[in-house]
Amino acid sequence: MTAPISRRRILGAAATGPVAALGAGLPEPASAVPLVPPRRTRIDVHCHHLPDFYRASLAEHGITEAGGKKLPAWSPQRAVTFMNSFGIAAQVVSISEPGVTYLPTAAERNAMARQINDYTYETLIKGSGTLAKRFGGFAVLPLGDIDDPADLANARAEATRAIKVLGFDGVGLFSQYDGVYLGDPRLKPLMATLNQLGAMVFVHPVTPVMPDLGLPAFLFEYPFDTTRAAVNLSYHRTFTTYPFVRWLLAHAGGTLPFLAYRTSLLQYVTPIMQNLGVVLLDEQNLDYGRLFYDTALSPAPSAMMAVKEVAPVSHIMFATDWPFSAEVFTIPGDPAPQLPRSFDSTELPKVLRTNALAQLPRLRSRLAAP
């Protein structure tokens, strides 16, 4: 039985693909299943890794899930198998929720962040054999308590070490840390360091404090929290104060493309701005086209066409959110068959590969090395 048109649109399934876990019962033509594995060309800028020592540490603290989902299985070999099955040349890995925020002291957070980053560099970025040229990385920073000067000092030092010494492709930040969003003035020293480094900053959501609707956070609260972070950054003038930071927003920017106009309206209500102590913004602060967006769990036209309305195609990058999204990809082949509905034959190669390599020159150099 064919799914109702409304459900097909929500799933982005008018053009079929491997979406069985999201829409059981949708027709799947034989053409959606390739006879041979696709060529490895795509660059996946949003995917995660869970080293064994990190998973063990999480378990010791009673953490077995993130965003309402159980922590998935992961290993370098599983990652390579996934990439080979879905035509992915390289993954740029990062640590998902909770990062190192669960650890009680700045010293412990710093030690774990460094251990993760050293592992990512030695095992994945420098990988040999079947792992060679298959990984990049966004470094995890040792943040947990924004009011702890040691955390901020450690985060600045680790960002510098990761990019200048280890050669990471950027750093990962969460949308907020215990309710403190990224535009908060307390984070200015870190933003200054990231600006000096010209860093690509990957912003990943975390579960916010919220009413319990009985549904997992990843379903809609994650996108909402990314939106909160971006609007907070905008109204605190972070984008213009630190112009050399390149911001990559997870999951197509959450709901930001849809709300781009509405979130700009405060600038026209001067009394409210004055009461809030907010300085009048110029168009640059409200230009969400300066940001970068990934396609993770958002490849349908309902999301991608909205992103194209606020940002150039050159700012959109392919992503899968694997292994947390592993259930979505059940058939070897195209991991996002909906993308051709939003991008033409000239645009699609840029989204799948070229845009990422343009913004991640170290990864580009590693892939091109003999």
Side-chain angles (χ1 to χ4, degrees):
M1 177 182 294
T2 302
I5 187 64
S6 60
R7 185 162 183 251
R8 291 168 64 85
R9 285 176 178 163
I10 290 171
L11 295 174
T16 57
V19 294
L22 291 181
L26 293 179
E28 197 71 64
S31 60
V33 184
L35 298 178
V36 295
R39 292 180 59 236
R40 298 200 297 263
T41 57
R42 300 175 177 92
I43 305 298
D44 185 351
V45 299
H46 175 175
C47 48
H48 303 294
H49 61 317
L50 294 98
D52 288 342
F53 64 86
Y54 176 60
R55 186 190 297 272
S57 177
L58 291 173
E60 289 173 3
H61 289 80
I63 300 171
T64 58
E65 64 175 44
K69 293 189 65 177
K70 289 185 177 180
L71 297 177
W74 180 88
S75 71
Q77 293 71 30
R78 282 178 179 267
V80 170
T81 298
F82 170 75
M83 286 189 273
N84 291 347
S85 297
F86 290 93
I88 297 170
Q91 290 182 334
V92 185
V93 297
S94 57
I95 293 293
S96 188
E97 184 179 22
V100 298
T101 62
Y102 67 98
L103 294 168
T105 69
E108 290 173 282
R109 292 190 285 271
N110 191 48
M112 178 57 72
R114 289 176 64 92
Q115 185 178 1
I116 292 172
N117 291 335
D118 286 343
Y119 170 87
T120 305
Y121 172 67
E122 293 291 343
T123 303
L124 302 180
I125 295 177
K126 278 181 58 180
S128 58
T130 59
L131 306 185
K133 300 185 182 183
R134 303 307 299 270
F135 294 96
F138 292 128
V140 62
L141 299 187
L143 285 174
D145 182 357
I146 302 303
D147 290 315
D148 188 338
D151 258 19
L152 287 176
N154 291 339
R156 296 175 68 188
E158 186 60 9
T160 302
R161 184 181 81 100
I163 292 177
K164 285 196 169 184
V165 178
L166 301 182
F168 271 72
D169 300 289
V171 303
L173 289 177
F174 292 140
S175 51
Q176 45 106 349
Y177 293 84
D178 195 24
V180 178
Y181 284 83
L182 295 180
D184 192 280
R186 285 169 286 184
L187 287 167
K188 284 184 176 181
L190 176 60
M191 296 302 163
T193 295
L194 297 175
N195 192 60
Q196 292 169 356
L197 294 169
M200 171 69 78
V201 177
F202 173 55
V203 179
H204 193 278
V206 293
T207 303
V209 176
M210 59 183 182
D212 185 4
L213 301 182
L215 294 168
F218 80 88
L219 198 61
F220 52 88
E221 289 293 349
Y222 265 18
F224 295 162
D225 216 50
T226 300
T227 306
R228 294 183 189 104
V231 175
N232 183 263
L233 285 163
S234 175
Y235 276 93
H236 282 88
R237 307 176 71 90
T238 304
F239 298 144
T240 49
T241 303
Y242 309 103
F244 299 116
V245 178
R246 291 162 297 140
W247 300 93
L248 172 59
L249 303 184
H251 311 122
T255 60
L256 184 66
F258 172 77
L259 294 173
Y261 170 74
R262 184 172 181 131
T263 58
S264 72
L265 295 180
L266 190 59
Q267 67 173 324
Y268 301 112
V269 191
T270 304
I272 296 179
M273 294 276 285
Q274 292 174 339
N275 289 340
L276 294 175
V278 177
V279 179
L280 187 66
L281 302 181
D282 57 33
E283 290 185 358
Q284 298 237 344
N285 287 96
L286 296 166
D287 179 14
Y288 297 128
R290 69 192 300 148
L291 310 179
F292 294 84
Y293 302 81
D294 75 38
T295 70
L297 297 177
S298 310
S302 55
M304 288 295 101
M305 296 305 288
V307 175
K308 288 180 73 174
E309 285 294 319
V310 300
V313 170
S314 61
H315 282 217
I316 306 172
M317 305 181 199
F318 170 77
T320 66
D321 209 347
W322 188 87
F324 286 90
S325 61
E327 301 92 340
V328 177
F329 309 112
T330 59
I331 301 174
D334 192 337
Q338 305 89 346
L339 289 177
R341 297 174 58 198
S342 300
F343 303 99
D344 62 30
S345 59
T346 300
E347 297 170 330
L348 192 57
K350 298 176 182 177
V351 172
L352 296 178
R353 180 180 176 89
T354 309
N355 294 344
L357 295 181
Q359 296 302 321
L360 306 173
R362 291 176 174 177
L363 176 64
R364 182 177 68 237
S365 296
R366 291 194 295 272
L367 294 181

